[in-house]
Amino acid sequence: MFDSQALDSFKKSGDIVARLRREVGTIAKPGVPAIKICESLEQKMRDQGGKPAFPVNVGINEVAAHYTSPPGDPLTVPPGCLAKIDFGVQVDGYVTDTSVTVCFEPKLEPLVQAADEALASAIRAFRPGVRLSEIGRVVQTIIQKYGLRPISNLTGHKIERYTIHAGKSVPNVAGMNGARIDEGEVYAIEPFVTLPKAAGAVTNGSSAYIYRYVKPKGATTEDSRKVLAYIQANFSTLPFASRWL
């Protein structure tokens, strides 16, 4: 269980996230550079007393997750798209993780509605003792009710201090992960929805712009040791972006 200091940190990070969720629609618009969305939200977190728990992700259309702008990124939000803005705030290592989908194409609105309803239903079902596979069944049932398809290999996840993905995953389909929810755990529930004729699974892109410190390796020069020390001091084991260095 968490002590009062940890709960205060969670509350502060959650309050920042709640405020920023309301601002995403004013920031993410067609024609706006993705890097501006990332850096604007990240700076707002710092201005309000938090820090980014991970680099802001901007997923356009078929890019479901885990894309953040590299330095000099030319990507802009195109008209008629579906944009997923995934972000999190940490205060003293206690993380609040969220995502906002902004839709600029009316025909794609059912994907947003399905994800919102699946999330609300999963939250109602989420309690100690419930198997995570049951949460996956709830999410899948709601998404399929809309005639859409869940993405099977993207999941929610347990969160621990300074750790975004802490072992247990929250599936979006039935029959995966029979582990039970334990009292005192913290989770991000992340329904991912795609079109009915899509594959229902994602593949990794060819480039990576998000990193995480695991252990020192190959720091043989003074400059590389300085970079490593900066990463350890500023990000601990949380993800970071190349543009932050």
Side-chain angles (χ1 to χ4, degrees):
M1 301 299 288
F2 300 102
D3 60 23
S4 60
Q5 183 177 355
L7 292 174
D8 286 346
S9 295
F10 269 128
K11 185 178 186 304
K12 184 174 182 179
S13 66
D15 287 345
I16 296 169
V17 159
R19 288 192 292 269
L20 294 183
R21 281 182 59 87
R22 294 191 289 269
E23 295 186 37
V24 168
T26 67
I27 299 170
K29 294 181 177 181
V32 174
I35 195 168
K36 182 176 180 180
I37 298 170
C38 295
E39 293 182 342
S40 175
L41 287 170
E42 290 163 1
Q43 188 57 50
K44 286 176 181 291
M45 296 174 200
R46 300 182 186 103
D47 291 344
Q48 295 181 40
K51 295 179 181 179
F54 52 88
V56 171
N57 291 193
V58 179
I60 306 294
N61 291 333
E62 72 277 6
V63 178
H66 304 153
Y67 177 87
T68 194
S69 287
D73 188 11
L75 178 68
T76 61
V77 177
C81 78
L82 195 69
K84 289 81 65 183
I85 315 301
D86 184 6
F87 61 97
V89 174
Q90 65 103 347
V91 174
D92 196 26
Y94 295 99
V95 173
T96 309
D97 184 355
T98 193
S99 181
V100 177
T101 301
V102 187
C103 185
F104 302 106
E105 171 50 66
K107 291 187 293 186
L108 298 177
E109 280 290 350
L111 279 79
V112 182
Q113 295 165 2
D116 286 346
E117 185 177 341
L119 176 60
S121 296
I123 290 172
R124 287 194 295 270
F126 216 90
R127 59 188 182 276
V130 173
R131 292 189 186 277
L132 291 164
S133 56
E134 170 61 14
I135 304 302
R137 185 196 66 78
V138 170
V139 170
Q140 181 176 7
T141 298
I142 296 297
I143 291 172
Q144 290 179 335
K145 182 183 76 171
Y146 282 81
L148 299 167
R149 191 169 187 177
I151 296 180
S152 62
N153 63 340
L154 287 176
T155 68
H157 47 91
K158 182 183 172 185
I159 297 172
E160 293 180 351
R161 191 181 185 193
Y162 286 111
T163 305
I164 300 291
H165 294 266
K168 292 183 182 178
S169 61
V170 185
N172 290 314
V173 294
M176 295 178 64
N177 196 344
R180 295 184 186 274
I181 302 162
D182 292 326
E183 186 173 357
E185 292 179 326
V186 176
Y187 286 86
I189 307 170
E190 302 182 359
F192 282 91
V193 186
T194 190
L195 297 171
K197 294 184 179 180
V202 297
T203 57
N204 290 329
S206 58
S207 300
Y209 304 112
I210 300 175
Y211 307 91
R212 184 173 66 86
Y213 174 81
V214 178
K215 61 181 179 180
K217 184 177 181 181
T220 57
T221 67
E222 182 63 23
D223 285 345
S224 63
R225 285 191 288 270
K226 286 181 179 178
V227 171
L228 183 60
Y230 179 85
I231 290 168
Q232 290 176 290
N234 287 275
F235 314 128
S236 185
T237 53
L238 291 171
F240 61 92
S242 55
R243 57 186 164 78
W244 290 358
L245 300 178

